[in-house]
Amino acid sequence: MKMWSGRFREPLDPEFERWQRSFAYDQRLLPYELAASRAHANALEHAGVLSSEELSDPEAEDVHHFVEKQLAVQIGATGYKLHTGRSRNEQIATDLRLFVRDSIDTLQNLIADWVEAILSRADAAGNAAMPAYTHLQPAEPVLVAHWLLAYVEMFLRDATRLADCRKRANLCPLGSGAVAGATLSLNRQAMAAELGFDGPTANSIDATSDRDFALEFVQTLSLLALHLSRWAGEMILFSTPAYGFVELPEPYSTGSSAMPQKKNPDLLELVRGKAARLMGCAVTLETLVKGLPLAYNKDLQETQEPVFNAADAIIAMLPLVTGFMNTVEFNDAKMNQAASSGFMNAWAAAAYLVERGVPSRLAHEAVGKAVALAVERGCDLQKLSLADLQAIHPSFDAGFHSCLGLTEVLTLHDVPGGTAPRHVKRALQNARERAAALRAVEQTATR
Ligand code: ARG
């Protein structure tokens, strides 16, 4: 039996009938549909519609229709009582919220694994240094750990966005009916509690048409994918022979069918590419809801697949990047070497003059001239003689050369959030605590 055939005298066009079904993809919501139906059935019992005996005893249009049919097959006509006082509009809203909530709980653990893998590498990097770039030009030396911690911040922010999204998603639409509220006085608090929701939604019109939770979820995942793509893009760059900072792990690389010497960063390239899919999912959802009048419209059925697609893509990707991070090799010697050349100590040199009372604009000018001289001579700043330097500015003195070493330059950035080793050490510890807290989140998985 169809869920709505009573009013119709003509059968549906068979092609349309097949085309409009969502069961092909919404069947993955089955566990949530069952949990939500159980909560609804319990509320019906309390409202006196289903007796305890009835309660103790499935070519479906969608997952809701499927469950009702299956129930009728198993327990007879009583099964058709299940839909009393409810609508598929509130059911799909509930099922999707449960799906998003479970996915967030899974993701928080996967993000913790990923962040912890980065943190282990940061820990292992010790005092190894590398160049930091601005405009992709060598700017200042930083600790490798400091660079890795920059990525940690991005992913920890993603985790807080997911946690925030979870709060708004975790309200129960059951009892909202089709649009105006259930036609029975159901115990909405009890249904919400049974499903682990923080409480019932406040407005039936909003609850049946709202997909903000899906949008926030997918937008957050698209931002996470964007962060992964930035990381992948930089790792690809650093793995090229021109940089040589990163040696690609063979288990996560592929060869070329044509050029025998090649080892290609396929994992990183696909990670960079996946961001496009995630952004597409977010744009699909935004476009679906844009200008949509209240309340439920069948357009909303199209919000399901982008949510599944986005969750699947990230849930599959995070363990792979974690595996990659655990096995990739950093070439410390090359990074250190790159960090020690290219005049990245020029700012430290200017700071040295400033400390001797030279106004910073003039110190900048003087060191700029010293750099130009060193470029002309094909040497580093440290190799210029004191006489050459003093000809540029009289404040250069005997202590100058000893302030230009890598360790001195790193230590100079002695501010929380900066690359001085003592601050990086603290930052590492702080990030560890925030990563561990992701796992501590209460898990109410319905799967
Ligand atoms: N399969 C539908 C969806 O995903 C369920 C809700 C159908 N509601 C309706 N009024 N036809 O949106």
Side-chain angles (χ1 to χ4, degrees):
M1 203 205 304
K2 288 231 169 307
M3 298 186 89
W4 39 262
S5 47
R7 183 238 181 275
F8 284 74
R9 277 187 252 156
E10 281 188 63
L12 281 189
D13 172 86
E15 209 171 311
F16 166 63
E17 199 279 325
R18 276 193 303 274
W19 177 80
Q20 56 94 41
R21 286 182 195 174
S22 55
F23 191 55
Y25 48 87
D26 71 13
Q27 50 184 270
R28 68 185 293 172
L29 293 174
L30 192 57
Y32 309 111
E33 177 70 10
L34 290 174
S37 289
R38 208 173 293 121
H40 181 75
N42 287 336
L44 286 180
E45 183 197 2
H46 289 112
V49 175
L50 275 174
S51 70
S52 316
E53 297 83 73
E54 283 171 334
L55 194 59
S56 61
D57 264 277
E59 70 231 348
E61 183 175 318
D62 54 23
V63 68
H64 323 294
H65 186 202
F66 173 81
V67 169
E68 182 179 291
K69 281 173 41 140
Q70 285 297 316
L71 201 59
V73 167
Q74 288 182 21
I75 64 169
T78 302
Y80 293 121
K81 281 193 169 187
L82 177 65
H83 209 59
T84 314
R86 76 169 180 178
S87 155
R88 286 183 294 160
N89 301 352
E90 60 183 306
Q91 286 174 259
I92 187 59
T94 305
D95 295 359
L96 262 187
R97 280 174 186 260
L98 289 172
F99 176 86
V100 164
R101 189 181 75 186
D102 260 13
S103 302
I104 290 176
D105 292 346
T106 301
L107 281 158
Q108 295 289 29
N109 280 303
L110 294 178
I111 294 173
D113 292 343
W114 163 233
V115 164
E116 278 165 8
I118 309 176
L119 288 172
S120 309
R121 299 310 301 262
D123 217 5
N127 280 342
M130 66 184 289
Y133 300 84
T134 63
H135 313 268
L136 207 50
Q137 303 292 332
E140 294 187 273
V142 291
L143 288 187
V144 171
H146 194 54
W147 166 66
L148 288 169
L149 281 167
Y151 287 108
V152 164
E153 287 307 316
M154 296 182 207
F155 296 107
L156 287 177
R157 279 199 298 276
D158 294 329
T160 62
R161 269 185 284 269
L162 282 173
D164 197 48
C165 165
R166 191 189 194 281
K167 285 183 209 151
R168 281 179 293 277
N170 203 29
L171 293 173
C172 186
L174 290 187
S176 298
V179 61
T183 50
L184 284 167
S185 128
L186 299 172
N187 186 338
R188 295 196 65 206
Q189 291 288 352
M191 288 192 287
E194 184 174 340
L195 292 168
F197 283 113
D198 294 331
T201 49
N203 179 288
S204 61
I205 306 174
D206 176 53
T208 49
S209 66
D210 168 38
R211 291 296 180 273
D212 290 3
F213 64 89
L215 250 152
E216 287 183 38
F217 175 61
V218 173
Q219 284 168 335
T220 298
L221 292 190
S222 82
L223 188 45
L224 194 159
L226 219 128
H227 292 151
L228 283 173
S229 83
R230 292 189 74 172
W231 168 78
E234 192 165 55
M235 291 296 277
I236 291 170
L237 199 66
F238 287 171
S239 74
T240 59
Y243 284 85
F245 293 172
V246 162
E247 185 62 44
L248 296 171
E250 291 192 8
Y252 296 101
S253 310
T254 61
S256 156
S257 59
M259 297 162 281
Q261 86 282 9
K262 293 291 286 294
K263 181 163 75 168
N264 292 330
D266 290 35
L267 176 133
L268 296 170
E269 292 168 300
L270 285 171
V271 168
R272 189 171 57 181
K274 289 282 180 201
R277 175 193 298 247
L278 270 289
M279 290 160 77
C281 291
V283 171
T284 302
L285 290 180
E286 288 157 5
T287 315
L288 274 165
V289 182
K290 179 185 175 298
L292 196 69
L294 293 174
Y296 179 84
N297 295 271
K298 189 86 170 209
D299 312 41
L300 292 175
Q301 179 166 290
E302 287 291 313
T303 61
Q304 292 185 33
E305 286 176 292
V307 172
F308 299 153
N309 208 248
D312 290 346
I314 300 287
I315 286 173
M317 193 151 54
L318 283 171
L320 289 168
V321 292
T322 302
F324 181 98
M325 187 51 98
N326 284 330
T327 47
V328 67
E329 275 175 46
F330 294 121
N331 189 330
D332 285 357
K334 272 237 163 106
M335 287 171 133
N336 254 308
Q337 155 66 25
S340 316
S341 55
F343 304 109
M344 280 183 287
N345 48 9
W347 198 350
Y352 181 86
L353 290 183
V354 168
E355 215 174 282
R356 270 144 198 81
V358 183
S360 90
R361 186 50 57 221
L362 303 181
H364 185 286
E365 181 73 13
V367 173
K369 284 187 175 143
V371 168
L373 182 65
V375 169
E376 210 176 285
R377 303 224 175 127
C379 69
D380 281 331
L381 268 182
Q382 301 89 302
K383 291 276 147 37
L384 295 176
S385 71
L386 192 54
D388 284 336
L389 288 163
Q390 284 180 337
I392 294 171
H393 198 287
S395 293
F396 283 111
D397 61 21
F400 179 68
H401 292 88
S402 65
C403 82
L404 297 180
L406 189 51
T407 311
E408 288 71 29
V409 177
L410 287 166
T411 314
L412 183 69
H413 300 80
D414 193 29
V415 61
T419 199
R422 71 188 189 107
H423 287 292
V424 173
K425 211 169 174 170
R426 270 184 224 162
L428 238 161
Q429 184 50 34
N430 174 282
R432 274 206 182 288
E433 284 161 22
R434 285 182 287 152
L438 298 181
R439 298 192 193 280
V441 170
E442 191 198 347
Q443 307 280 307
T444 44
T446 325
R447 273 204 264 265

PDB file of all heavy atoms in Angstrom, residues 22 26 62 64 88-89 92 296 298 300-301 304, ligand 1:
ATOM      1  N   SER A  22      13.372   7.989  -2.984  1.00  0.00           N
ATOM      2  CA  SER A  22      14.660   8.264  -2.346  1.00  0.00           C
ATOM      3  C   SER A  22      15.218   7.019  -1.663  1.00  0.00           C
ATOM      4  O   SER A  22      16.296   7.060  -1.077  1.00  0.00           O
ATOM      5  CB  SER A  22      14.511   9.401  -1.320  1.00  0.00           C
ATOM      6  OG  SER A  22      13.487   9.100  -0.386  1.00  0.00           O
ATOM      7  N   ASP A  26      18.201   6.787   0.837  1.00  0.00           N
ATOM      8  CA  ASP A  26      17.852   7.065   2.242  1.00  0.00           C
ATOM      9  C   ASP A  26      17.774   5.794   3.083  1.00  0.00           C
ATOM     10  O   ASP A  26      17.585   5.866   4.300  1.00  0.00           O
ATOM     11  CB  ASP A  26      16.612   7.964   2.383  1.00  0.00           C
ATOM     12  CG  ASP A  26      15.300   7.293   2.009  1.00  0.00           C
ATOM     13  OD1 ASP A  26      15.269   6.065   1.863  1.00  0.00           O
ATOM     14  OD2 ASP A  26      14.304   8.023   1.867  1.00  0.00           O
ATOM     15  N   ASP A  62      10.316   5.351   0.285  1.00  0.00           N
ATOM     16  CA  ASP A  62      11.476   5.840   1.026  1.00  0.00           C
ATOM     17  C   ASP A  62      11.644   5.014   2.295  1.00  0.00           C
ATOM     18  O   ASP A  62      10.906   4.053   2.524  1.00  0.00           O
ATOM     19  CB  ASP A  62      11.391   7.352   1.323  1.00  0.00           C
ATOM     20  CG  ASP A  62      10.102   7.744   2.023  1.00  0.00           C
ATOM     21  OD1 ASP A  62       9.484   6.867   2.673  1.00  0.00           O
ATOM     22  OD2 ASP A  62       9.708   8.920   1.921  1.00  0.00           O
ATOM     23  N   HIS A  64      10.933   5.623   5.254  1.00  0.00           N
ATOM     24  CA  HIS A  64       9.784   5.699   6.164  1.00  0.00           C
ATOM     25  C   HIS A  64       8.705   4.706   5.747  1.00  0.00           C
ATOM     26  O   HIS A  64       8.153   3.976   6.563  1.00  0.00           O
ATOM     27  CB  HIS A  64       9.227   7.128   6.194  1.00  0.00           C
ATOM     28  CG  HIS A  64      10.287   8.176   6.113  1.00  0.00           C
ATOM     29  ND1 HIS A  64      11.214   8.351   7.117  1.00  0.00           N
ATOM     30  CD2 HIS A  64      10.613   9.059   5.137  1.00  0.00           C
ATOM     31  CE1 HIS A  64      12.044   9.321   6.759  1.00  0.00           C
ATOM     32  NE2 HIS A  64      11.700   9.757   5.559  1.00  0.00           N
ATOM     33  N   ARG A  88       5.976  12.143   7.584  1.00  0.00           N
ATOM     34  CA  ARG A  88       7.334  11.873   7.125  1.00  0.00           C
ATOM     35  C   ARG A  88       8.190  13.141   7.168  1.00  0.00           C
ATOM     36  O   ARG A  88       9.411  13.072   7.212  1.00  0.00           O
ATOM     37  CB  ARG A  88       7.319  11.302   5.711  1.00  0.00           C
ATOM     38  CG  ARG A  88       6.854   9.855   5.652  1.00  0.00           C
ATOM     39  CD  ARG A  88       6.914   9.320   4.246  1.00  0.00           C
ATOM     40  NE  ARG A  88       5.961   9.986   3.379  1.00  0.00           N
ATOM     41  CZ  ARG A  88       6.036   9.997   2.056  1.00  0.00           C
ATOM     42  NH1 ARG A  88       7.047   9.411   1.444  1.00  0.00           N
ATOM     43  NH2 ARG A  88       5.119  10.603   1.338  1.00  0.00           N
ATOM     44  N   ASN A  89       7.530  14.294   7.164  1.00  0.00           N
ATOM     45  CA  ASN A  89       8.293  15.548   7.198  1.00  0.00           C
ATOM     46  C   ASN A  89       9.115  15.678   8.476  1.00  0.00           C
ATOM     47  O   ASN A  89      10.256  16.120   8.465  1.00  0.00           O
ATOM     48  CB  ASN A  89       7.356  16.750   7.065  1.00  0.00           C
ATOM     49  CG  ASN A  89       6.571  16.710   5.768  1.00  0.00           C
ATOM     50  OD1 ASN A  89       6.839  15.858   4.909  1.00  0.00           O
ATOM     51  ND2 ASN A  89       5.602  17.588   5.624  1.00  0.00           N
ATOM     52  N   ILE A  92      11.976  12.614   8.464  1.00  0.00           N
ATOM     53  CA  ILE A  92      13.232  12.798   7.723  1.00  0.00           C
ATOM     54  C   ILE A  92      14.093  13.844   8.423  1.00  0.00           C
ATOM     55  O   ILE A  92      15.317  13.717   8.490  1.00  0.00           O
ATOM     56  CB  ILE A  92      12.990  13.142   6.232  1.00  0.00           C
ATOM     57  CG1 ILE A  92      14.309  13.165   5.467  1.00  0.00           C
ATOM     58  CG2 ILE A  92      12.236  14.445   6.043  1.00  0.00           C
ATOM     59  CD1 ILE A  92      15.095  11.865   5.504  1.00  0.00           C
ATOM     60  N   TYR A 296       7.833  22.246   4.627  1.00  0.00           N
ATOM     61  CA  TYR A 296       8.448  21.154   3.871  1.00  0.00           C
ATOM     62  C   TYR A 296       8.108  21.271   2.390  1.00  0.00           C
ATOM     63  O   TYR A 296       6.964  21.497   2.008  1.00  0.00           O
ATOM     64  CB  TYR A 296       7.981  19.774   4.379  1.00  0.00           C
ATOM     65  CG  TYR A 296       8.608  18.642   3.553  1.00  0.00           C
ATOM     66  CD1 TYR A 296       9.869  18.167   3.851  1.00  0.00           C
ATOM     67  CD2 TYR A 296       7.951  18.122   2.434  1.00  0.00           C
ATOM     68  CE1 TYR A 296      10.478  17.183   3.074  1.00  0.00           C
ATOM     69  CE2 TYR A 296       8.542  17.135   1.647  1.00  0.00           C
ATOM     70  CZ  TYR A 296       9.807  16.668   1.973  1.00  0.00           C
ATOM     71  OH  TYR A 296      10.406  15.714   1.202  1.00  0.00           O
ATOM     72  N   LYS A 298       9.352  19.102  -1.342  1.00  0.00           N
ATOM     73  CA  LYS A 298      10.061  17.879  -1.737  1.00  0.00           C
ATOM     74  C   LYS A 298      11.496  18.173  -2.184  1.00  0.00           C
ATOM     75  O   LYS A 298      12.347  17.279  -2.188  1.00  0.00           O
ATOM     76  CB  LYS A 298       9.288  17.152  -2.838  1.00  0.00           C
ATOM     77  CG  LYS A 298       9.803  15.763  -3.193  1.00  0.00           C
ATOM     78  CD  LYS A 298       9.240  14.652  -2.320  1.00  0.00           C
ATOM     79  CE  LYS A 298       9.604  13.289  -2.874  1.00  0.00           C
ATOM     80  NZ  LYS A 298       8.617  12.259  -2.561  1.00  0.00           N
ATOM     81  N   LEU A 300      13.590  19.309  -0.518  1.00  0.00           N
ATOM     82  CA  LEU A 300      14.436  18.977   0.631  1.00  0.00           C
ATOM     83  C   LEU A 300      14.951  17.541   0.588  1.00  0.00           C
ATOM     84  O   LEU A 300      15.954  17.219   1.233  1.00  0.00           O
ATOM     85  CB  LEU A 300      13.699  19.259   1.948  1.00  0.00           C
ATOM     86  CG  LEU A 300      13.443  20.758   2.216  1.00  0.00           C
ATOM     87  CD1 LEU A 300      12.614  20.937   3.481  1.00  0.00           C
ATOM     88  CD2 LEU A 300      14.771  21.514   2.338  1.00  0.00           C
ATOM     89  N   GLN A 301      14.260  16.688  -0.160  1.00  0.00           N
ATOM     90  CA  GLN A 301      14.758  15.320  -0.318  1.00  0.00           C
ATOM     91  C   GLN A 301      16.157  15.348  -0.933  1.00  0.00           C
ATOM     92  O   GLN A 301      16.981  14.484  -0.669  1.00  0.00           O
ATOM     93  CB  GLN A 301      13.801  14.508  -1.197  1.00  0.00           C
ATOM     94  CG  GLN A 301      14.232  13.071  -1.439  1.00  0.00           C
ATOM     95  CD  GLN A 301      13.102  12.211  -2.009  1.00  0.00           C
ATOM     96  OE1 GLN A 301      12.140  11.911  -1.331  1.00  0.00           O
ATOM     97  NE2 GLN A 301      13.220  11.855  -3.266  1.00  0.00           N
ATOM     98  N   GLN A 304      19.662  15.228   1.126  1.00  0.00           N
ATOM     99  CA  GLN A 304      20.241  14.040   1.760  1.00  0.00           C
ATOM    100  C   GLN A 304      21.600  13.647   1.168  1.00  0.00           C
ATOM    101  O   GLN A 304      22.574  13.472   1.904  1.00  0.00           O
ATOM    102  CB  GLN A 304      19.302  12.845   1.605  1.00  0.00           C
ATOM    103  CG  GLN A 304      18.008  12.977   2.380  1.00  0.00           C
ATOM    104  CD  GLN A 304      17.175  11.706   2.289  1.00  0.00           C
ATOM    105  OE1 GLN A 304      17.708  10.609   2.213  1.00  0.00           O
ATOM    106  NE2 GLN A 304      15.869  11.850   2.290  1.00  0.00           N
TER     107      GLN A 304
HETATM  108  N1  ARG B   1      11.674  11.026   1.303  1.00  0.00           N
HETATM  109  C1  ARG B   1      11.221  12.304   1.768  1.00  0.00           C
HETATM  110  C2  ARG B   1      12.426  13.282   1.961  1.00  0.00           C
HETATM  111  O1  ARG B   1      13.506  12.828   2.009  1.00  0.00           O
HETATM  112  C3  ARG B   1      10.533  12.154   3.111  1.00  0.00           C
HETATM  113  C4  ARG B   1       9.526  13.232   3.402  1.00  0.00           C
HETATM  114  C5  ARG B   1       8.391  13.135   2.425  1.00  0.00           C
HETATM  115  N2  ARG B   1       7.351  14.066   2.744  1.00  0.00           N
HETATM  116  C6  ARG B   1       6.342  14.382   1.903  1.00  0.00           C
HETATM  117  N3  ARG B   1       5.531  15.261   2.292  1.00  0.00           N
HETATM  118  N4  ARG B   1       6.270  13.826   0.678  1.00  0.00           N
HETATM  119  O2  ARG B   1      12.233  14.473   2.055  1.00  0.00           O
END
